Amino acid sequence: MRKGIGAALFVMVVMAAAMSAGAECDPVQLFPCLGAMSSGQDPSAECCTKLKEQQPCFCQYMSNPEFKPYIDSPNARKVAAVCGISTPTC
């Protein structure tokens, strides 16, 4: 089941990237976090860096019904906490 979630997240990230090409908020930048968000593993340093760079975009991602379940998931909250990022209040 975890592979299915990861694959679905990857497809959604790629689709969003295609829609937001050239925009500052680029969910493809979160790809280094895919493993941690889908499995609950600790995030890599690269993941934390990318999360911090994309932090201003979290509310935009959460307002997208296709992304919200992933961005607001328990694993994503765990990853954010390990990286020292608070969950946004949107």
Side-chain angles (χ1 to χ4, degrees):
M1 176 139 182
R2 289 184 180 164
K3 280 186 177 181
I5 291 172
L9 179 60
F10 177 74
V11 169
M12 286 184 197
V13 167
V14 171
M15 287 173 48
M19 294 184 330
S20 66
E24 184 176 313
C25 293
D26 183 4
V28 170
Q29 297 299 312
L30 299 177
F31 185 76
C33 300
L34 181 62
M37 286 184 172
S38 63
S39 70
Q41 298 173 346
D42 284 343
S44 66
E46 181 183 14
C47 170
C48 290
T49 298
K50 294 299 182 180
L51 278 177
K52 289 174 184 173
E53 290 172 0
Q54 291 291 302
Q55 189 173 5
C57 304
F58 289 171
C59 286
Q60 176 183 333
Y61 298 156
M62 288 180 69
S63 69
N64 182 327
E66 292 180 2
F67 289 122
K68 183 176 171 94
Y70 299 102
I71 301 296
D72 199 30
S73 73
N75 284 344
R77 286 192 298 267
K78 177 187 174 215
V79 169
V82 170
C83 292
I85 297 170
S86 61
T87 304
T89 304
C90 304

